[in-house]
Amino acid sequence: MALSLVFLAYVAAFGAAVLGCAVGLRRALRVADADTRRGLAGVVAGSGGWALFELAFLVAPSQFLKYVAYDLSLVVGLSTVGAWLYFCSAYTGRSFHRNPTYRRAAVGTYVAIVAVKLTNHVHGLYFSTTAVDAPFPHLAVQHGTLHWVVAGLSYALVAVGFFMLFELFLEADYDTRPLGALVGVTALPVVLDVVGFASPLLVDINYEPLGVAAFALGVLYVYEAEFLAVQLTDGVDDAVVYLDSADRIREANGRARELFDDLAGATGERFDAVLPEVAATLADDPPVVERVVDGETRYYRVTDTSFSLGQADIGRMVVFSDVTRTERKRRELERHNDQLEGFAAAIRHELLNTLQIVGGRVSVAGDALDRGDVAAARESLRSISETSDRMAGIVEDLSVLARHGKTLDDTEPVAFESVVRDAWADADADDLSLDVDGDGELVADPERLRELFASAFAFAAHNGAGAVTVERGDDWFAVAGDGRPSGDADPEAFFEYGSAVPDADAGILLPNVRMLAAVHGWSATLDADYEEGVRVVVSGTEGVSSPVEDAAGLDAPAN
C-alpha cells in the first residue's frame, strides 16, 4: 500500500505539472509583447512536454516505452533552456534572442546534444537503465558523464537568465523578493536530482520540469502583475505605483516609497485610502502633486495608465514624473499674470476715483469762484491737491510692487525678530505697540520680507489697531492687529487690488503682503476665526523654492 502511494505521489506531481502548463499556455499566449510571449510560451510548452514524457516514463506498460519516453523527455527538456534564454532576453529588453549568431549557435548546440541523446541506445554514454522494484517497479536511470556536462551547461545558462532578470528588477528599483521566491522554487528540483542520484530516498529521474513549471505558472498567475509592471517601467526613472484591477496597491518601486512614506506596508490596501490626496489629484488639470524632498518643494505630474494581459485589463500604473522646472515656471507665469491683472484693476479703480473727485471738485471750485466765494474755491482746490498726492502715493506703491514682484534672484537666512523690528521702523507706526513672539531665521529675500511686514503693519495702523502682535510657528508666521474685525466681509476681498474692503484708503497694503509672500512660494490668508481685529497668516515658510530662472534655465519675465 505504501509503495503504491509513493507511485501515486510521483504521478500526481508530474500530472499536475502537465495540467498546469496546459492551462498556463493559454495565458502565456495573451502576453502583449510578441517576443516575450514567444519565449514564455516556449518555456511553458517545453516544461509541460517535459513533464508529460516524465509521466509517461513512470506509467508506460513496457521497459521499451519507458526508455523511449525518458529519452524524449531529455530532448524536450533541453528545449526549455533555449526558450528560457529567449524569454529572459526579450523580457529584459535585450537583443540576444534576435542575434543571428547566437541563434545559430544555440540551434547547432541543441541539435548536437539531441543527436547524442537519441543515439544513446547505441553508445550508452548519456544514461543507462536498470529495472528495479523499489520503491515501486520502474526503470532506474544511471546518468553518465555527458549528462552531467550538459546539465552543468544548462544550469549555467539558466543562471545567466536569472542574472538578467535580477538586473532588470534592480534597475527598475523593484522589490526582488518575489523573483527570489520563484528562483528558490525553480532551484528546489535540483536538490531533488542530487538526492535521487546520491541516495535511495528518491527515484533518480529529472525533477527539473516541476521547477520550471512552477516558475512559469508563478510568473503567469502569482506574480504576473509584478513581472508585467517591471517590464513596462524598464528604463523609467520615475516613481511608480502598481494597482490591481480593484485599485489595491500591489507594488511600488523604491523611488515611490521614498516619495511617499505611507506606501510602506500598504500592499493590498486601496490606493485612495493610502494616498487620498494623490488619488484626488488624478482628476485635476494638470494632475500635479507637491512634495518636500530634502527640504525643497518639488512637483510631480501624476499619470494613470492601465495595462492588460491580452484583452483583459489587469491593473493600472500610477507614474510620478518630476516636472519641478516646468511647474515652477508655469506657476510663476500664472502669478505674474495675476499680478498684472491686479495692477490693471488697481490703476483703473484709483484713476476713476481720482478723476471723479477731481472733476467734482473742479466744478465746485468753478461755481464758488463764480459766486466770489474764494474760501470755498480754495477748499476744493486743496481737496484736489490731496487727492493728487494720494494718487501719487498709490503710483509709488505700485512701482514698489512691480519692483518686488519680480522673480527671486537669491535668498538668504534672515533673522526673524530683527527684520520685524526694522519693518516696524519703516512703517512709521509710533502710536502702536508691537509684541514679537518668535525668533530664529527665515530663508527669504531680506528686502522683500521687510516690505511684507511693513505693509502688514501699515494696514494694521490704518485699520485702527492700537497693538500689533507678530507670531511665528514651524512653517508660518502671523501679523495680528486689534483694530476693526473683518466681520462678514469675504476674507479674499482684503487681498484684491482696488478693493474697497475694509475701505478704499487701505489701498494695496494687503495685496502687497500676499504678492511678497507669493514670490517666496508662501501663501497669505486672513484668519476668518480671529475676532479681535484682523490677523494675516503667512504659511509655507519652511522653505523657499529655487529661483525659477535657475530651475528652468530661463530669464524671469519682465514686469
Side-chain angles (χ1 to χ4, degrees):
M1 181 67 177
L3 294 180
S4 62
L5 289 178
V6 173
F7 174 75
L8 290 176
Y10 274 89
V11 171
F14 285 98
V18 173
L19 181 61
C21 289
V23 175
L25 183 59
R26 294 183 59 187
R27 196 173 185 89
L29 293 173
R30 293 164 55 195
V31 172
D33 181 70
D35 285 350
T36 303
R37 179 173 65 247
R38 294 189 192 99
L40 187 56
V43 172
V44 175
S47 178
W50 194 0
L52 178 63
F53 282 115
E54 291 284 351
L55 179 62
F57 169 71
L58 293 171
V59 301
S62 67
Q63 292 187 10
F64 172 75
L65 291 177
K66 289 179 183 290
Y67 184 97
V68 171
Y70 189 76
D71 206 6
L72 291 177
S73 76
L74 296 178
V75 173
V76 176
L78 185 61
S79 70
T80 61
V81 177
W84 164 252
L85 291 175
Y86 190 102
F87 162 73
C88 292
S89 175
Y91 175 79
T92 58
R94 291 172 167 84
S95 60
F96 299 136
H97 60 292
R98 296 178 181 172
N99 187 296
T101 302
Y102 291 145
R103 291 167 70 127
R104 284 193 291 268
V107 171
T109 302
Y110 177 75
V111 170
I113 295 174
V114 167
V116 173
K117 292 180 177 183
L118 293 179
T119 57
N120 182 73
H121 63 284
V122 177
H123 51 72
L125 298 177
Y126 205 86
F127 68 92
S128 60
T129 60
T130 304
V132 297
D133 294 325
F136 53 82
H138 68 285
L139 282 183
V141 180
Q142 295 81 43
H143 293 110
T145 303
L146 281 178
H147 167 83
W148 295 112
V149 170
V150 173
L153 174 62
S154 300
Y155 293 149
L157 293 175
V158 169
V160 169
F162 277 124
F163 172 79
M164 287 191 281
L165 295 181
F166 272 107
E167 185 179 48
L168 177 65
F169 269 67
L170 292 173
E171 287 179 352
D173 202 18
Y174 274 86
D175 187 1
T176 58
R177 286 176 295 182
L179 178 59
L182 289 179
V183 171
V185 172
T186 308
L188 181 60
V190 178
V191 177
L192 301 180
D193 281 347
V194 173
V195 173
F197 171 75
S199 74
L201 296 176
L202 295 172
V203 175
D204 188 11
I205 59 175
N206 286 320
Y207 294 91
E208 287 92 337
L210 301 179
V212 177
F215 176 87
L217 296 177
V219 170
L220 288 169
Y221 288 98
V222 182
Y223 296 115
E224 63 174 354
E226 287 80 354
F227 271 78
L228 186 55
V230 170
Q231 186 180 35
L232 290 175
T233 56
D234 179 28
V236 176
D237 294 329
D238 299 325
V240 180
V241 178
Y242 164 72
L243 311 178
D244 64 14
S245 57
D247 281 352
R248 293 185 296 261
I249 296 173
R250 289 287 300 273
E251 183 60 273
N253 65 3
R255 284 177 284 275
R257 291 191 293 272
E258 291 174 1
L259 202 59
F260 301 99
D261 294 336
D262 292 337
L263 289 174
T267 301
E269 299 182 30
R270 285 188 59 85
F271 182 67
D272 55 4
V274 177
L275 300 175
E277 294 182 0
V278 177
T281 300
L282 289 170
D284 294 344
D285 186 21
V288 174
V289 296
E290 178 180 322
R291 304 294 295 174
V292 176
V293 180
D294 296 330
E296 178 186 14
T297 300
R298 303 196 68 81
Y299 302 95
Y300 298 85
R301 185 179 181 91
V302 188
T303 54
D304 176 19
T305 305
S306 62
F307 57 95
S308 59
L309 189 63
Q311 301 300 316
D313 290 339
I314 63 171
R316 296 189 298 143
M317 284 192 306
V318 182
V319 182
F320 300 85
S321 303
D322 193 330
V323 293
T324 301
R325 293 184 177 185
T326 303
E327 184 64 15
R328 283 178 181 165
K329 185 64 179 174
R330 186 190 69 80
R331 294 188 179 211
E332 184 66 9
L333 288 174
E334 186 177 82
R335 187 185 68 79
H336 277 292
N337 289 336
D338 291 343
Q339 180 177 301
L340 290 173
E341 290 178 6
F343 284 169
I347 292 173
R348 181 173 61 254
H349 176 83
E350 295 303 332
L351 279 176
L352 288 174
N353 282 349
T354 301
L355 290 174
Q356 288 176 354
I357 293 172
V358 170
R361 287 299 179 179
V362 167
S363 297
V364 171
D367 292 343
L369 289 175
D370 289 342
R371 297 192 309 268
D373 189 348
V374 176
R378 286 178 177 173
E379 180 63 26
S380 293
L381 292 174
R382 186 180 302 110
S383 177
I384 292 172
S385 177
E386 290 173 353
T387 302
S388 299
D389 289 343
R390 177 175 173 276
M391 184 62 190
I394 290 174
V395 170
E396 177 62 25
D397 287 343
L398 288 171
S399 68
V400 171
L401 190 63
R403 183 173 69 254
H404 289 317
K406 294 180 180 179
T407 303
L408 287 180
D409 291 323
D410 200 6
T411 57
E412 61 185 69
V414 180
F416 182 75
E417 185 172 2
S418 176
V419 73
V420 170
R421 300 290 181 186
D422 291 343
W424 184 256
D426 294 342
D428 191 19
D430 295 336
D431 295 336
L432 282 69
S433 64
L434 175 66
D435 181 27
V436 182
D437 181 12
D439 54 14
E441 295 180 332
L442 281 177
V443 178
D445 175 87
E447 186 178 0
R448 287 173 171 83
L449 183 59
R450 183 168 171 171
E451 183 66 31
L452 183 155
F453 280 114
S455 295
F457 296 151
F459 176 83
H462 173 78
N463 198 46
V468 176
T469 301
V470 179
E471 306 170 80
R472 186 186 177 197
D474 292 336
D475 62 348
W476 60 271
F477 63 81
V479 179
D482 61 351
R484 295 185 299 275
S486 60
D488 295 332
D490 181 4
E492 283 300 302
F494 284 78
F495 297 100
E496 295 176 1
Y497 294 103
S499 173
V501 179
D503 55 59
D505 291 337
I508 58 174
L509 294 174
L510 288 190
N512 262 357
V513 171
R514 173 166 283 184
M515 180 276 299
L516 292 166
V519 297
H520 288 87
W522 308 333
S523 60
T525 57
L526 215 64
D527 185 352
D529 297 327
Y530 191 72
E531 299 178 352
E532 300 174 11
V534 173
R535 183 172 184 261
V536 179
V537 180
V538 177
S539 56
T541 61
E542 71 273 18
V544 176
S545 297
S546 300
V548 172
E549 57 268 38
D550 289 345
L554 298 171
D555 294 329
N559 286 282

